[in-house]
Amino acid sequence: MNCFRNGVTRLLLTRIPFFKEIIVSSFSCDSCSWSNTEIQSAGRIQEQGVRYTLAVTSRQDMNREVVKTDCASARIPELDFEIPAFSQKGVLTTIEGIIDRAVAGLEQDQPARRATDKEVARKIDEFIGKLRQLKEVNSPFTFILDDPSGNSFVENPHAPQRDEALVVTHYRRSPQQCALLGLEGEEVDAKPPDAADDLRDEVLQFNTNCPECNAPASTNMKLVQIPHFKEVIIMATNCDSCGHRTNEVKSGGAIEPQGTRITLRITDPSDMTRDILKSETCSVEIPELEFELGMGALGGKFTTLEGLLKDIRDLVEKNPFTLGDSSTPSRTGKLQEFIGKLQDIIEGKAQAHFIMDDPAGNSYLQNVYAPEEDPELSVQRYERSFEQNEDLGLNDMRTEGYEPEPASGR
């Protein structure tokens, strides 16, 4: 598209563990030496959208790696600047690279604008100057990446420690966002009142596609009562084509009036066998390792403490920006040390505190002394903050004293 002569486009289907499958395309032209690279997601759309909010305060932040899919939008509120969804192809770049692409896009038609409308061209030149000044980071600014498909990513250079400058928010897509992604709600036939039997002993099955190979598979769903807790829904998917297995748990009840903070002091290898219900709104913290896993990560799980710690270990090992091809040697050594300490906890060679914080109150950690108190386990109830209620969608929810507006008499 530069000199309009024939070039060569190369396509590569590859699998990145953290981002599932992607298609990498690379174009090059021998006539004018112009080249271009793009990525497209070849995996499934995630169950929730994701929003990354980064406070850029230094030149190092400009080098953070970013995966931006074509359905993601990028915003810089300080300049009232936005790159709308589907206006650019997917790309693997950095914060600075995204700004450079925006500048290149604005400069593309400037010669024509200067000939037809000098005033508009002058204003765009001024705005391009402001974008270029952002690269120097003379003053802090905010970078927001919002992807309804959940397949975009902003690097955390401090992983596995928490990044104070980066806020990751998972959210449920709106009907408009679902329509934009080509997703349609499925209508489920309601059971007649006379068929409202007890589903606790029944395993329901519905057809779906494997998240790994996309082959037809089946998902089993069952309602389970956890002793001394509540009912949950367990879903398991098995693929006969590639052997992939996955399971997920959803809370079968409502959001609790208060949040729950569960703290377990791991002192014995037998603690690894404790049952755990981690909801998708629950965050996990291990203070001794300075590690924190945000809400929405790993989804909902019903497993043991050992199983959850192994999932955390696999999450760090399979992330290409931590220990993969995109990692740096200095960070690799630090993360290898972290994985070693985590493995010591799993094998019972080290003691640590395991903290689960669930604003929705739908997570659970087994008390092996039940119904007596567990000396190593403490459960605290707390009032949710306004921000936590906002993340759960409770601030705009009205369930009491609701009266519909009277119908018009016309």
Side-chain angles (χ1 to χ4, degrees):
M1 296 304 296
N2 189 45
C3 68
F4 299 101
R5 295 178 180 268
N6 289 334
V8 177
T9 298
R10 295 177 174 85
L11 299 176
L12 173 65
L13 177 63
T14 184
R15 178 176 296 175
I16 299 178
F18 194 81
F19 302 110
K20 307 298 180 183
E21 293 180 340
I22 64 170
I23 299 174
V24 181
S25 63
S26 175
F27 174 82
S28 60
C29 178
D30 295 334
S31 300
C32 64
S33 300
W34 189 74
S35 62
N36 184 32
T37 58
E38 297 176 359
I39 68 166
Q40 295 180 2
S41 176
R44 67 188 182 102
I45 295 175
Q46 303 301 312
E47 291 190 0
Q48 291 183 316
V50 65
R51 182 184 301 108
Y52 293 89
T53 304
L54 173 66
V56 181
T57 58
S58 65
R59 283 287 302 173
Q60 287 76 14
D61 290 332
M62 300 297 293
N63 295 326
R64 291 184 186 232
E65 292 176 315
V66 175
V67 172
K68 177 185 176 296
T69 64
D70 52 359
C71 60
S73 63
R75 291 192 298 119
I76 301 177
E78 286 78 2
L79 295 184
D80 197 18
F81 173 71
E82 180 176 2
I83 303 175
F86 298 103
S87 62
Q88 293 181 352
K89 296 294 184 180
V91 64
L92 171 59
T93 180
T94 61
I95 303 290
E96 184 176 4
I98 288 181
I99 295 178
D100 286 338
R101 285 171 65 92
V103 170
L106 291 173
E107 287 181 333
Q108 184 175 0
D109 296 328
Q110 279 296 85
R113 292 192 190 99
R114 293 189 182 97
T116 57
D117 194 333
K118 295 183 179 180
E119 182 63 21
V120 173
R122 183 186 62 81
K123 292 181 179 180
I124 292 179
D125 282 335
E126 291 179 358
F127 189 80
I128 291 175
K130 293 179 181 179
L131 283 177
R132 286 174 171 164
Q133 288 177 1
L134 289 181
K135 295 165 56 176
E136 302 299 327
V137 198
N138 295 324
S139 60
F141 66 92
T142 306
F143 176 79
I144 302 174
L145 184 66
D146 193 331
D147 187 357
S149 73
N151 287 324
S152 291
F153 179 77
V154 175
E155 178 192 10
N156 173 10
H158 307 291
Q161 282 78 29
R162 181 180 180 182
D163 189 347
E164 298 295 338
L166 182 63
V167 178
V168 184
T169 306
H170 296 267
Y171 61 88
R172 295 188 182 275
R173 286 183 285 269
S174 65
Q176 292 79 9
Q177 290 173 324
C178 290
L180 198 64
L181 296 175
L183 301 178
E184 295 182 358
E186 298 181 356
E187 295 184 0
V188 182
D189 295 334
K191 299 184 70 176
D194 56 348
D197 51 357
D198 192 358
L199 298 178
R200 290 177 179 81
D201 297 328
E202 182 178 354
V203 178
L204 303 179
Q205 188 177 82
F206 56 92
N207 296 325
T208 182
N209 285 43
C210 174
E212 290 295 325
C213 68
N214 207 37
S218 60
T219 296
N220 296 326
M221 182 171 64
K222 191 176 188 302
L223 190 64
V224 178
Q225 174 68 42
I226 298 180
H228 308 288
F229 191 54
K230 60 171 67 176
E231 288 181 336
V232 298
I233 300 172
I234 297 179
M235 295 182 292
T237 302
N238 298 326
C239 180
D240 296 332
S241 299
C242 66
H244 176 72
R245 293 186 177 185
T246 181
N247 65 80
E248 190 173 359
V249 62
K250 300 284 187 181
S251 173
I255 294 177
E256 295 294 319
Q258 293 180 311
T260 304
R261 182 179 176 87
I262 304 173
T263 303
L264 171 67
R265 183 170 176 264
I266 303 173
T267 59
D268 190 86
S270 62
D271 289 330
M272 293 294 110
T273 63
R274 292 179 184 247
D275 289 334
I276 278 185
L277 170 65
K278 176 195 171 297
S279 75
E280 57 187 13
T281 59
C282 178
S283 62
V284 174
E285 183 180 355
I286 305 176
E288 286 77 4
L289 301 184
E290 297 182 357
F291 173 79
E292 182 173 346
L293 183 72
M295 59 183 293
L298 291 179
K301 284 188 174 292
F302 184 43
T303 179
T304 61
L305 179 57
E306 180 181 8
L308 185 59
L309 292 178
K310 286 183 176 179
D311 287 339
I312 293 174
R313 181 193 61 192
D314 294 341
L315 181 66
V316 175
E317 288 181 335
K318 292 181 179 179
N319 188 338
F321 293 108
T322 56
L323 294 177
D325 295 337
S326 300
S327 62
T328 58
S330 60
R331 193 184 311 162
T332 300
K334 182 172 63 174
L335 288 168
Q336 291 288 5
E337 181 182 357
F338 165 79
I339 292 175
K341 293 179 179 179
L342 183 61
Q343 187 63 32
D344 288 342
I345 295 176
I346 295 175
E347 296 175 357
K349 298 178 182 178
Q351 297 184 0
H353 288 81
F354 181 82
I355 302 173
M356 301 172 62
D357 193 339
D358 187 357
N362 287 329
S363 294
Y364 164 81
L365 181 57
Q366 182 186 13
N367 175 6
V368 294
Y369 296 92
E372 303 296 331
E373 291 188 2
D374 189 332
E376 305 298 340
L377 183 69
S378 65
V379 180
Q380 298 177 344
R381 305 281 182 179
Y382 62 87
E383 297 294 332
R384 287 184 289 267
S385 64
F386 178 86
E387 290 76 13
Q388 290 173 323
N389 283 328
E390 187 72 18
D391 291 338
L392 296 175
L394 299 178
N395 290 332
D396 299 326
M397 187 180 298
R398 184 178 178 185
T399 59
E400 296 179 358
Y402 174 75
E403 295 181 2
E405 294 183 2
S408 175
R410 292 180 295 177

